[in-house]
Amino acid sequence: NERAKIAEEIYQFKVKNNKSVLDSSREAELLKNLNQINSGPLSASAVETIYKNIMHCFREHQQSLHQTDLASTICIVGLGLMG
């Protein structure tokens, strides 16, 4: 859950800096670095699979935050139109 809080902070940074939730080049760089430092016993493929799943889970978490933010914005704009 501590990592989820960090993912939320990263999401807020991305929003403030107009960046996409998905950063394929950053994820590829991370996987490359992990493969370079992997000394076993897990294979490079196993390590990559584990980290791809971790990144996927937190990317989904960030996307859910985005959906919540978007819904809040729509509600605020909708109220403004009604008022």
Side-chain angles (χ1 to χ4, degrees), residues 11-49:
Y11 168 75
Q12 293 301 327
F13 173 84
K14 289 176 179 180
V15 168
K16 289 178 184 175
N17 292 283
N18 199 27
K19 299 205 177 266
S20 173
V21 169
L22 174 59
D23 186 348
S24 298
S25 62
R26 174 69 182 121
E27 290 185 9
E29 178 185 345
L30 175 64
L31 292 172
K32 179 183 171 188
N33 291 340
L34 288 168
N35 282 325
Q36 288 176 347
I37 63 171
N38 179 26
S39 59
L42 293 177
S43 67
S45 176
V47 171
E48 187 170 315
T49 298

